[in-house]
Amino acid sequence: MSRKVQRSEVCADCSAPDPGWTSINRGVLICDECCSVHRSLGRHISIVKHLRHSGWPPTLLQMVQMLASNGANSIWEHSLLDPAQVQSGRRKPNPQDKVHPTKSEFIRAKYQMLAFVHKLPCRDDDGVTTKDLSKQLHSSVRTGSLETCLRLLSLGAQANFFHPEKGTTPLHVAAKAGQILQAELLVVYGADPGAPDINGRTPMDYARQAGQVELAERLVECQYELTDRLAFYLCGRRPGKCTLVLFLDLSELAKAAKKKLQALNNRLFEELAMDVYDEVDRRENDAVWLTTQNHSTLVTERSAVPFLPVNPEYSATRNQGRQKLARFNAREFATLIIDILSDAKRRQQGKGLTSPVGEQDPLDLGHGDDDQHDYDSVASDEDTDSELTTQNNTNSMDSSDLSDGPITLQEYLEVKRALASSEAKVQQLMKVNNNLSEELRRLQKEDANCVGLSPKAPKGEKHTSGTDSDYDNTQTYDLSLSVGRSSEEESRADLEEGPSEGGEPDPTLPCTEDVILKTEQVTKNIQELLRAAQEFKHDSFVPCSEKIHCAVTEMASLFPKRPALDAVRCSLRLLAASASRLQGECRKAVPAEPSATPVDYQLLTQQVIQCAYDIAKAAKQLVTITTREKKQ
């Protein structure tokens, strides 16, 4: 979507007429010259987009328009607008001033140093805290006052703040109130569209319950913004509609590079995907820039952005790797994107690294003698002889290194799903549940021995160690623009931290035996669901999910509403969120209308199994925590 700029509008930084660009996260319109400075600051400071030549989600454009027309610029120039606080020698640039140093120094002071933002008055208790600001944001997003929320965000309010009393984030509140522009602003500042509330419901659930269909759909788009943007960059269409044809390098070096990508843990893979996303944004803005500029006056070495600017919050190694992305030619960069999209899907579906014969989807990176590792921070200790580097001369590749024929992007993204066997996944999860049942019996035996009772486990029953490694082989990963650990990773980290700080058992935790009994009921219901999946009884999905949700609710009711231990809170949150997601996925097995789009039962089964897996893991975490705390 494009837009017409009103003649009355001027650049927020130098007052030049007819600004063609905008800084989305600052809510201001800027001219071409000032935009060159914004781009050099990096996306962590200013996210720029052309008003007419870039693609726009309608509500995001509407959000920027409203902020710009309602004085968002006064937030960033507060002290300049106050005659009593004018700093000596400081003035706003004019359109005729030079970009360097006049405009660039002012823009850096304004947005990077926040030199003119209103400073909150200090109090005896060290002033207004981030928590105070975040609570104000949590309350303000139910209104239509965008500039108020932007001001709070500029002062340090957290878009992902979890209100301890309300049990929700600001995005939940905005979704419930139907404030779609507030939701856009929060997402721009990093709010997670998939974040669960205290009952496991996401902002999308809130929007649907409030009848806000457009808002719910937009939140889904935001959750998958990263992968959608990468796919759109390749072929100009959203996933599932791409027809881009690429030849994939199947050389041994490329295969080794693909294995390295697959071996990255989720955090490092997310960092790599986000860096590639930023590089896509840089290249798209470059293309717009070159088509809209007066080449004789504006396109100079000083206004160009040849690679991603340094982000001081990142390590030197990561910043070096980000800049090296600019060396990739179009073919190499496209193949890297395809590789990331493919592995993102593999991780989301919880698939292992082992691929069937013939299912090779390697990372197309050649080896340049004068280049270095593009992502030194993610190399393993033993990877010293061969490194992932850019191929400097693609024309030198032997024809034997290429595949037999072209592969479309859609075929590439779907190859794992087409080749993978749902039966194998079901069998794997059945094994996991058997391990969980054995672990429960082992804990029952230990608990009974502690109180002098005889164990009730059947004779001859074998027990496994029950370590968390039982669940590490199919870790889920939801790739989006959100930054930070997933709830699964948080729960696991909390478990690793050990018991409460004081070393004393938590008296609010329920009896271990009660938790084990409820977990057994959850496990039994999950096994019933898995049998239905094995036998392709998709009409049984909904009743099975209702039983699981009921069992989960009963198990969660054993615990206090506000547990003292962070690990318990995280596990309960994961348990509730997974059960809620399971219900939503199972309902898809029964189309609302006969004329609806046919259900992809293979993909649906994979999603249902993943939800069941997450429920089983959360239940085991709660049993482990309770047992450990009661033994102290």
Side-chain angles (χ1 to χ4, degrees), residues 1-3 20-22 24 48-57 61 229 232 281 284-289 291-292:
M1 178 179 178
S2 61
R3 120 207 238 271
W21 296 80
T22 179
I24 297 176
V48 301
K49 202 176 187 72
H50 199 276
L51 288 164
R52 291 178 290 268
H53 296 280
S54 298
W56 280 92
L61 177 59
R229 178 79 176 274
F232 191 85
D281 184 77
E284 287 184 335
N285 278 332
D286 263 349
V288 173
W289 180 265
T291 60
T292 59

Side-chain angles (χ1 to χ4, degrees), residues 259-260 263 373 376 378-387:
K259 289 181 180 179
K260 285 189 177 183
H373 195 295
D376 298 326
V378 299
S380 58
D381 295 336
E382 64 272 20
D383 293 332
T384 56
D385 296 329
S386 61
E387 297 180 325

Side-chain angles (χ1 to χ4, degrees), residues 17-37:
D18 193 22
W21 296 80
T22 179
S23 173
I24 297 176
N25 57 323
R26 304 299 180 176
V28 297
L29 307 181
I30 51 179
C31 68
D32 291 345
E33 288 190 344
C34 291
C35 175
S36 67
V37 182

Side-chain angles (χ1 to χ4, degrees), residues 294-314:
N294 180 344
H295 291 261
S296 62
T297 59
L298 290 179
V299 181
T300 66
E301 291 184 0
R302 301 197 70 180
S303 65
V305 183
F307 46 74
L308 290 175
V310 172
N311 186 336
E313 295 183 1
Y314 297 160

